[in-house]
């Protein structure tokens, strides 16, 4: 059992990890917002030493990848400055650390076309040249779906909400394919890497391409008839849908 500090507890990835692994590890939540680096470092280090932390998992991120946004400061703060600060702390205190990248940065035409991609690419470049003494785990993922995601601007929550309301929202583009991965699969990999002794791990998590209209029709049929075709890789959508069905009245 490890003593793990979770930063970014409001991330739905973090909520799923806490829900699934709270009995396997001692999970500690650090709540101070990263605004003043000096104050943050002082309090974070004090918290780590007090609770004998061995691992840091940084779930915090600003995922706004739109071309026209006014959140450049927030994006760089969350996706670049914060991870580098945590990396420095983990190195000084010899803690294992988990940081997240996005496969968005692998797209040749989007490497620097928005602040999100730029911040993630700068983080990756800094990690490459960081002289670490501790163990670093870099997780590179595509779009993630699953329970606890209350951002109804995101694709899967939006699709499910509209099925539950029996209303097809015109703003949802069903005629598209999108690479996605279930949150439970991401967290299983994180859990397995907690025990790895390798110094540096760069893990690209494999995702699956789905046709969005197929997901919509699949879940709509399930909702109306409580039955579904046994499509490969679709079972996790049922798990996700059932969570929203149970909690929708509390989360809308």
């Amino acid at each position: 059992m490890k003593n793990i500090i979770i930063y970014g507890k409001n991330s739905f990835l973090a909520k799923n990890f806490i829900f699934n692994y709270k009995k396997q590890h001692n999970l500690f939540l650090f709540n101070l917002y990263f605004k003043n680096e000096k104050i943050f470092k002082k309090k974070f280090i004090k918290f780590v030493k007090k609770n004998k932390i061995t691992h840091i998992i940084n779930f915090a991120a600003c995922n706004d990848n739109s071309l026209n946004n006014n959140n450049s400061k927030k994006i760089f703060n969350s996706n670049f400055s914060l991870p580098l600060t945590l990396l420095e702390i983990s190195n000084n205190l010899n803690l294992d650390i988990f940081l997240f990248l996005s496969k968005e940065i692998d797209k040749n035409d989007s490497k620097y076309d928005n602040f999100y991609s730029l911040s993630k690419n700068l983080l990756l470049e800094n990690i490459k040249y960081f002289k670490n003494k501790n163990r670093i785990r870099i997780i590179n993922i595509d779009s993630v779906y699953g329970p606890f995601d209350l951002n109804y601007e995101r694709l899967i929550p939006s699709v499910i909400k509209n099925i539950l309301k029996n209303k097809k929202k015109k703003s949802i583009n069903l005629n598209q394919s999108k690479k996605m991965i279930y949150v439970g699969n991401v967290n299983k990999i994180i859990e397995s890497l907690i025990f790895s002794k390798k110094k540096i791990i760069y893990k690209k998590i494999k995702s699956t391409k789905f046709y969005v209209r197929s997901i919509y029709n699949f879940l709509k049929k399930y909702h109306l008839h409580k039955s579904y075709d046994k499509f490969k890789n679709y079972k996790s959508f049922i798990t996700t849908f059932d969570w929203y069905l149970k909690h929708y009245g509390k989360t809308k």
Side-chain angles (χ1 to χ4, degrees):
M1 183 174 283
K2 304 294 185 180
N3 291 350
I4 302 172
I5 189 169
I6 301 292
Y7 191 72
K9 66 174 185 177
N10 292 325
S11 160
F12 89 95
L13 275 82
K15 290 178 180 179
N16 278 275
F17 188 86
I18 293 167
F19 181 80
N20 290 321
Y21 296 104
K22 59 188 175 183
K23 293 182 179 179
Q24 286 89 332
H25 302 288
N26 297 317
L27 302 180
F28 298 84
L29 308 181
F30 187 75
N31 300 317
L32 182 65
Y33 182 71
F34 182 77
K35 188 175 181 179
N36 183 301
E37 181 180 347
K38 185 176 180 180
I39 294 175
F40 180 89
K41 287 173 67 175
K42 182 178 180 181
K43 293 190 175 182
F44 193 93
I45 291 171
K46 182 178 179 180
F47 188 89
V48 165
K49 291 182 177 180
K50 177 182 177 181
N51 295 291
K52 299 180 180 179
I53 300 297
T54 57
H55 293 67
I56 300 172
I57 304 180
N58 176 37
F59 288 105
C62 180
N63 298 317
D64 187 350
N65 62 357
S66 59
L67 297 179
N68 299 311
N69 65 66
N70 298 314
N71 295 325
S72 59
K73 185 175 181 180
K74 181 180 180 182
I75 292 170
F76 273 89
N77 200 46
S78 296
N79 299 342
F80 181 68
S81 299
L82 168 63
L84 285 186
T85 298
L86 293 176
L87 192 59
E88 179 187 341
I89 293 172
S90 67
N91 189 49
N92 291 337
L93 299 180
N94 196 26
L95 309 175
D96 289 16
I97 184 169
F98 286 77
L99 299 173
F100 289 86
L101 296 177
S102 167
K103 289 186 180 178
E104 177 89 8
I105 67 175
D106 296 331
K107 300 175 183 178
N108 292 329
D109 60 347
S110 65
K111 190 171 184 181
Y112 300 117
D113 69 356
N114 59 63
F115 287 115
Y116 177 76
S117 295
L118 179 58
S119 64
K120 290 293 188 179
N121 272 289
L122 287 175
L123 175 60
L124 177 58
E125 291 303 312
N126 274 266
I127 292 172
K128 286 180 180 178
Y129 297 102
F130 188 80
K131 295 181 179 180
N132 65 299
K133 295 180 292 186
N134 59 326
R135 288 190 286 263
I136 303 174
R137 287 83 181 85
I138 309 300
I139 311 295
N140 194 342
I141 54 176
D142 266 315
S143 180
V144 183
Y145 68 93
F148 294 99
D149 187 359
L150 303 183
N151 183 357
Y152 291 104
E153 297 298 317
R154 285 164 53 84
L155 181 61
I156 297 304
S158 181
V159 166
I160 292 177
K161 181 178 180 181
N162 279 272
I163 291 174
L164 293 176
K165 292 179 68 176
N166 195 28
K167 178 182 177 183
K168 187 185 293 186
K169 194 173 181 181
K170 292 182 179 179
S171 62
I172 301 175
N173 179 11
L174 299 179
N175 296 318
Q176 62 170 313
S177 294
K178 189 174 181 65
K179 285 187 175 182
M180 293 182 285
I181 184 169
Y182 179 58
V183 64
N185 295 334
V186 175
N187 284 333
K188 283 180 182 178
I189 291 174
I190 294 173
E191 163 70 4
S192 68
L193 294 180
I194 286 174
F195 299 97
S196 174
K197 298 298 183 181
K198 291 184 179 180
K199 190 170 184 179
I200 299 179
I201 297 175
Y202 180 78
K203 181 72 175 179
K204 280 189 178 183
I205 299 181
K206 184 179 179 181
S207 55
T208 303
K209 183 179 284 189
F210 295 96
Y211 185 54
V212 178
R213 185 174 292 278
S214 295
I215 298 172
Y216 179 88
N217 292 337
F218 174 83
L219 291 176
K220 189 172 183 180
K221 180 180 179 181
Y222 172 74
H223 182 50
L224 293 175
H225 306 292
K226 291 297 181 288
S227 64
Y228 60 94
D229 300 320
K230 294 182 179 180
F231 294 137
K232 184 180 180 181
N233 298 322
Y234 273 57
K235 190 175 180 180
S236 55
F237 287 107
I238 296 298
T239 303
T240 303
F241 187 88
D242 285 345
W243 183 87
Y244 282 94
L245 187 62
K246 181 178 180 181
H247 297 277
Y248 179 72
K250 301 176 182 179
T251 60
K252 64 181 178 179

